[in-house]
């Protein structure tokens, strides 16, 4: 009787260790996916803002004197 009890106890600890390792792997993968999604979301939010800022900055620098001269 003592052997079956120790065998089930060993099986319990092995299953517990395997479930902890698998849970850690799933959480790690989930956090990596969330990190990539947040990065993409921030890029998608910032692109129009930066585009409009650059467009406005280029428009302020542009005046008739900055045009290229034509060749003769």
């Amino acid at each position: 009787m003592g052997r079956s009890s120790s065998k089930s106890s060993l099986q319990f600890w092995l299953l517990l260790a395997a479930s902890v390792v698998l849970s850690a792997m799933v959480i790690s993968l989930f956090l990596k996916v969330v990190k990539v999604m947040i990065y993409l979301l921030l890029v998608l939010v910032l692109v129009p803002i930066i585009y409009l800022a650059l467009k406005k900055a280029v428009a302020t620098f542009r005046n008739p004197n900055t045009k290229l001269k034509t060749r003769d």
Side-chain angles (χ1 to χ4, degrees), residues 7-66:
K7 187 176 181 181
S8 65
S9 178
L10 178 65
Q11 186 180 16
F12 167 76
W13 287 110
L14 287 175
L15 287 173
L16 182 66
S19 64
V20 168
V21 169
L22 288 174
S23 297
M25 289 172 56
V26 168
I27 290 171
S28 174
L29 180 65
F30 175 75
L31 290 177
K32 287 181 182 179
V33 169
V34 168
K35 185 177 175 182
V36 169
M37 289 175 67
I38 290 174
Y39 178 77
L40 290 174
L41 182 67
L42 286 174
V43 167
L44 290 174
V45 167
L46 287 175
V47 163
I49 295 170
I50 293 173
Y51 173 79
L52 292 174
L54 287 174
K55 188 175 178 183
K56 190 172 186 176
V58 168
T60 58
F61 291 127
R62 189 179 298 160
N63 59 32
N65 296 331
T66 59

